[in-house]
Amino acid sequence: MSDGTDNINRSVLPIPTRPRTGLITYDAKDPESKYPVIEQLRPPKGAPNVLVILIDDVGFGASSAFGGPCQTPNAERLAAGGLKYNRFHTTALCSPTRQALLTGRNHHSVGMGGITEIASGSPGYCSVLPNTASPLAKTLKLNGYATAQFGKCHEVPVWETSPAGPFDAWPTGGGGFEYFYGFIGGEAHQWYPSLYEGTTPIEVHKTPEEGYHFMADMTDKAIAWVGQQKALIPDKPFFMYFAPGATHAPHHVPKEWADKYKGKFDQGWDKLREETFARQLKLGVIPSDCQLTPRHEQIPAWDEMPEEMKPVLRRQMEVYAGFLEYADHHVGRLLDSLDQMKLTDDTLIYYIIGDNGASAEGTLIGCYNEMANFNGLAALETPQFLMERLDKLGGPDSYNHYAVGWAHAMNTPYQWTKQVASHWGGTRNGTIVHWPNGIAGKGEIRSQFHHVIDVAPTILEAAGLPQPQAVDGVAQMAIEGVSMLYSFNEAKAAERHETQYFEMFGNRGIYHKGWTAVTRHKTPWLLHGETVPPFDDDVWELYDTSKDWSQANNLAKQMPDKLHQLQRLWLIEATRYNVLPLDDNVAARFDSDLAGRPVLIKGKSQVLFGGMGRLSENSVLNMKNKSHSVTAEIVVPEGGAEGVIISQGANIGGWSLYAKGGKLKYCYNLIGVQHFFAESADAIPPGSHQVRMEFAYAGGGPAKGGTVSLFIDSKKVGEGAVGATAPSVFSADDGCDVGCDTGAPVSPDYGPRGNAFNGVIKGVQLAIGEDADHPDHHVSPEEALRVAMARQ
């Protein structure tokens, strides 16, 4: 542990270069010529390496380290040599937790009151990190740490996710990381991820059939990075942020890992909660007087589920459990590499098992493609549909999520789930801290109340570094977390984080010296169309968690004065940390026009060029729920056209304009449930041509179908009907590509490899409204770009 005494003023970053002092001689051979050696920037002596592991969407009652049914031997291994924190809390959602973790400030203080996709102009919800809250990684880097991030980054404002940047919010831009390998967004297709190295998009040249999975891939990269660091600069400590997409949906895992759990969930989620609760009592991660909270009536009982559905439901949980164990296995590989390099003793490790509680976003019966629910189209996935795909759950063709009942069980013994910031089921996550050189105890439990904003100040204190007063010339707001270091070697130390507010989508809570006042405002699995009460009509609950560990006994009626006191405290804290005004209109916030956030593409048309790709949905003209056209100038080789001209989305939903067997073809993929096609009668002749797709939207609201017409050089050559469309989103990470279809393929006509167009693509114009109504307009890329710019 560093004592921080190296006589360097580290409160202003970057550390100013020391001015030259002393005698200046004319000739270096002069005996009086003296100058200092070149200094290398390093942290104070004794500063440890730091590894922060953040698993995604895992409830308190999932991991075996905290009594859950999913085997996590490497979490247990760390816990046996370190500490378990059983009152550690997150924000109830991913982007907010991650921004809070990486800055040491409350999520609304740093503009991340929700995920980036629903950012609004309100300061607490804008998704823009203020320059007064420089991230932890940057502070560490400017003090001499080597820094790297692997896995998920969901903190980039959506209008800044394109290859054009700016990259201020990317890990290797303004995030303070020298190296990044991972994906930008809320989730990734684990078999076909859209990856970046730094800010450069890269393609994976290995298929799932050849053994590819992102969890293994990112671990390989992390092991290689730390090995290189210690081989080349062994005296320089590292800060590694290891944030897998696991176990966020889609629950993708090699079949053999899911098969390890065959039959282990046949008893259903209600019995599983009881079994987990018993293990938690035995482990001591909950006190002996803790109560198992009852299942809410909104969550169906296992016995209420149709018998014919239960094989699918069981398999959903088997796949999830295998996914968590698989993720822990690769964490173990990383830990093994530290052992082999003899770095473990001097590495402060946080293993945070979940950035929020388990996710209930998979509907009451689960889903094969979670994008169905995000589009309000969950009804398309009928029980029969799910049963027919039971054997594919977790595989490359699926984008699966489990049923709400399993999520509730994974949060045992608490109420509710992810998104519900009011109750511990959404915010309490088992956390392990391991640091042999700094922690004397082994296998001990710590029960002080802590929050994810406490990680950053803990790391700074362990490294002997001050919280910076200014970074890049900008005065910094104070870190709002409380260092946990006081509790490392003092099991009975009085907790120092005495007050903490919670808020997500109007679900609200306040913790103060053991008491909690909470109110649930929205239901996490009802992503569309829920009727919610006015905020003032929300029903508040009161719990004394110094006696009632799991928030089981509501004291609101018995102690109205105490409840009122805490409600008032919540309002004070909400005002202090930018929570107000409350905004529960999530659907409107997905619409950039209503939310008031910038959009990358303005106007009614967009020109793209051959070779452009990895364009997120926020980087491409939004053509959903309206008539539109796609026009491309291509050169067809003598042997005939073949391959993708332009595509958007993935096998879970999207569209593609391509050549198949020489003919022009269009595919609309409706959330992986149905495919609609249109095809030209004849082949596209060799030479330069304009090909065009017109989509005449049926109208009458979102998600309707339409008619597709295909043209070659203004002549209509084909037509087809599209029965329905996705109104909101195709894919979280698989974007738009010109000249190919990277990732999971949109159309079943071609695969994920070798689908590139075999000719030349001069340019593609996307258009909506009046700009789409020019079938005789021969588009040159230069002219289309000039016209589009003039119209803007």
Side-chain angles (χ1 to χ4, degrees):
M1 185 183 302
S2 171
D3 59 11
T5 55
D6 60 1
N7 298 317
I8 297 176
N9 181 4
R10 298 176 183 266
S11 62
V12 175
L13 300 175
I15 299 169
T17 301
R18 296 183 182 183
R20 179 175 181 175
T21 59
L23 176 68
I24 299 175
T25 59
Y26 178 71
D27 189 337
K29 296 186 292 294
D30 189 315
E32 294 192 57
S33 294
K34 294 180 182 178
Y35 30 81
V37 297
I38 298 173
E39 295 180 346
Q40 289 182 293
L41 179 63
R42 294 292 186 268
K45 185 177 180 181
N49 303 305
V50 179
L51 168 61
V52 175
I53 303 163
L54 180 65
I55 308 297
D56 204 335
D57 278 11
V58 186
F60 184 88
S63 161
S64 60
F66 287 85
C70 309
Q71 297 306 304
T72 52
N74 292 291
E76 294 183 46
R77 154 189 170 189
L78 280 183
L83 308 173
K84 288 182 188 176
Y85 281 82
N86 59 359
R87 290 174 72 223
F88 183 93
H89 300 82
T90 54
T91 70
L93 202 64
C94 51
S95 298
T97 288
R98 291 159 194 272
Q99 199 77 303
L101 168 71
L102 292 171
T103 63
R105 282 91 169 183
N106 285 302
H107 53 304
H108 294 89
S109 294
V110 287
M112 202 67 77
I115 55 174
T116 57
E117 290 81 357
I118 59 172
S120 72
S122 179
Y125 302 86
C126 64
S127 83
V128 178
L129 179 66
N131 60 9
T132 53
S134 186
L136 170 68
K138 188 170 185 177
T139 297
L140 294 176
K141 181 179 76 169
L142 293 176
N143 276 286
Y145 268 82
T147 58
Q149 176 176 342
F150 299 87
K152 173 176 174 176
C153 173
H154 198 192
E155 302 89 62
V156 181
V158 290
W159 60 94
E160 297 182 0
T161 57
S162 84
F167 301 108
D168 298 346
W170 288 54
T172 54
F177 291 101
E178 296 167 315
Y179 180 78
F180 170 62
Y181 185 80
F183 61 93
I184 304 295
E187 61 197 42
H189 200 301
Q190 298 289 309
W191 301 109
Y192 297 110
S194 297
L195 299 180
Y196 290 86
E197 191 164 28
T199 59
T200 303
I202 63 164
E203 300 303 325
V204 174
H205 300 292
K206 190 177 180 182
T207 66
E209 293 73 23
E210 294 167 333
Y212 181 83
H213 190 284
F214 177 60
M215 186 73 219
D217 180 19
M218 66 171 277
T219 307
D220 290 343
K221 294 288 187 181
I223 292 171
W225 180 84
V226 73
Q228 177 173 271
Q229 292 299 310
K230 290 305 179 181
L232 300 177
I233 42 174
D235 64 325
K236 189 173 187 177
F238 65 80
F239 170 52
M240 181 190 292
Y241 176 41
F242 188 82
T247 57
H248 195 292
H251 301 158
H252 284 158
V253 67
K255 184 176 181 296
E256 60 270 21
W257 288 82
D259 287 347
K260 294 172 71 170
Y261 289 89
K262 276 192 173 180
K264 295 189 177 180
F265 302 108
D266 289 1
Q267 72 278 37
W269 47 66
D270 292 316
K271 183 65 174 175
L272 179 60
R273 288 190 82 223
E274 296 173 4
E275 295 169 350
T276 298
F277 183 69
R279 287 190 296 265
Q280 291 172 332
L281 288 170
K282 186 175 181 180
L283 278 176
V285 294
I286 59 175
S288 58
D289 60 354
C290 177
Q291 298 179 55
L292 178 61
T293 57
R295 174 178 39 78
H296 293 278
E297 61 181 14
Q298 294 95 327
I299 303 172
W302 176 256
D303 290 342
E304 295 174 0
M305 303 306 292
E307 284 299 319
E308 63 270 21
M309 274 296 297
K310 287 184 177 178
V312 176
L313 297 173
R314 291 175 178 126
R315 187 58 177 172
Q316 291 170 2
M317 187 59 215
E318 291 168 5
V319 169
Y320 177 82
F323 194 21
L324 181 51
E325 183 174 350
Y326 183 72
D328 180 80
H329 164 75
H330 288 288
V331 168
R333 292 178 52 223
L334 178 58
L335 299 178
D336 288 343
S337 73
L338 299 182
D339 286 344
Q340 292 162 7
M341 290 183 278
K342 302 188 184 307
L343 299 173
T344 303
D345 286 354
D346 197 30
T347 300
L348 169 58
I349 300 174
Y350 268 88
Y351 194 162
I352 305 172
I353 310 176
D355 58 351
N356 40 242
S359 171
E361 295 159 345
T363 82
L364 296 178
I365 61 171
C367 54
Y368 184 71
N369 175 6
E370 71 159 344
M371 287 299 151
N373 198 25
F374 285 111
N375 279 291
L377 300 174
L380 291 177
E381 292 199 347
T382 64
Q384 182 65 32
F385 176 90
L386 294 175
M387 288 185 281
E388 290 171 354
R389 288 158 178 78
L390 181 149
D391 292 336
K392 291 186 176 182
L393 287 174
D397 294 332
S398 69
Y399 209 78
N400 51 307
H401 204 329
Y402 56 14
V404 168
W406 294 124
H408 183 230
M410 293 302 96
N411 294 321
T412 302
Y414 306 112
Q415 301 183 54
W416 294 109
T417 63
K418 175 185 177 180
Q419 293 189 24
V420 186
S422 53
H423 294 75
W424 295 152
T427 60
R428 182 163 286 180
N429 288 93
T431 295
I432 297 163
V433 182
H434 184 276
W435 184 22
N437 283 1
I439 298 173
K442 296 182 185 299
E444 297 179 2
I445 292 174
R446 295 291 184 267
S447 295
Q448 291 87 354
F449 181 97
H450 278 290
H451 189 270
V452 68
I453 61 175
D454 298 338
V455 174
T458 307
I459 292 169
L460 291 178
E461 185 178 1
L465 296 172
Q467 299 177 17
Q469 296 175 2
V471 177
D472 293 332
V474 178
Q476 298 294 292
M477 68 169 77
I479 284 180
E480 294 161 356
V482 175
S483 172
M484 301 166 64
L485 204 69
Y486 74 93
S487 65
F488 282 6
N489 293 307
E490 292 265 356
K492 302 297 184 182
E495 68 187 28
R496 297 182 182 178
H497 196 135
E498 296 185 326
T499 306
Q500 179 63 46
Y501 82 92
F502 296 88
E503 191 279 335
M504 192 60 60
F505 303 143
N507 301 315
R508 329 194 273 290
I510 184 79
Y511 171 85
H512 181 63
K513 296 185 177 180
W515 288 89
T516 62
V518 303
T519 182
R520 184 188 66 83
H521 182 73
K522 283 182 66 67
T523 306
W525 56 89
L526 299 179
L527 304 180
H528 294 267
E530 182 182 13
T531 300
V532 295
F535 293 116
D536 285 344
D537 292 347
D538 284 332
V539 177
W540 283 75
E541 304 161 17
L542 176 70
Y543 301 98
D544 180 1
T545 63
S546 65
K547 301 174 182 175
D548 175 16
W549 183 272
S550 59
Q551 298 174 313
N553 299 306
N554 182 8
L555 303 175
K557 291 182 178 179
Q558 295 96 308
M559 305 181 69
D561 291 344
K562 184 66 176 179
L563 175 61
H564 178 70
Q565 174 192 348
L566 290 172
Q567 287 174 303
R568 185 169 52 196
L569 180 58
W570 183 89
L571 190 60
I572 292 170
E573 295 295 285
T575 304
R576 186 195 312 274
Y577 295 116
N578 269 348
V579 182
L580 302 178
L582 292 170
D583 188 349
D584 60 2
N585 195 346
V586 179
R589 286 164 62 187
F590 270 106
D591 186 327
S592 59
D593 292 337
L594 297 176
R597 62 175 171 270
V599 293
L600 189 66
I601 307 304
K602 302 173 178 66
K604 296 183 178 181
S605 67
Q606 179 181 19
V607 178
L608 304 174
F609 298 94
M612 292 179 68
R614 195 63 60 76
L615 305 175
S616 67
E617 290 194 32
N618 289 280
S619 305
V620 176
L621 185 71
N622 183 6
M623 303 189 297
K624 300 181 183 74
N625 308 311
K626 55 181 74 77
S627 295
H628 59 270
S629 67
V630 179
T631 308
E633 292 283 344
I634 63 173
V635 179
V636 176
E638 285 298 323
E642 198 73 32
V644 175
I645 298 169
I646 182 172
S647 67
Q648 184 180 31
N651 63 344
I652 58 171
W655 58 269
S656 181
L657 183 66
Y658 56 102
K660 176 71 174 177
K663 298 180 179 181
L664 182 65
K665 196 165 184 180
Y666 174 84
C667 171
Y668 191 91
N669 180 331
L670 179 63
I671 62 169
V673 175
Q674 290 179 276
H675 296 83
F676 303 98
F677 297 95
E679 185 176 17
S680 67
D682 301 314
I684 312 169
S688 296
H689 298 281
Q690 182 199 77
V691 295
R692 180 178 177 86
M693 182 282 298
E694 288 187 3
F695 193 106
Y697 187 64
K704 299 300 189 292
T707 302
V708 172
S709 299
L710 298 179
F711 299 84
I712 300 176
D713 297 329
S714 302
K715 179 183 177 181
K716 187 173 179 178
V717 295
E719 186 175 278
V722 173
T725 56
S728 302
V729 62
F730 292 132
S731 170
D733 73 322
D734 211 332
C736 178
D737 299 299
V738 180
C740 65
D741 184 355
T742 61
V746 170
S747 174
D749 279 343
Y750 55 82
R753 302 287 183 271
N755 58 48
F757 186 65
N758 65 343
V760 176
I761 300 174
K762 295 181 179 179
V764 180
Q765 183 181 35
L766 311 178
I768 58 175
E770 61 192 39
D771 288 17
D773 298 331
H774 300 286
D776 58 343
H777 177 54
H778 203 75
V779 177
S780 73
E782 296 80 10
E783 174 65 12
L785 182 60
R786 184 189 66 77
V787 171
M789 291 179 66
R791 285 177 175 163
Q792 292 172 15

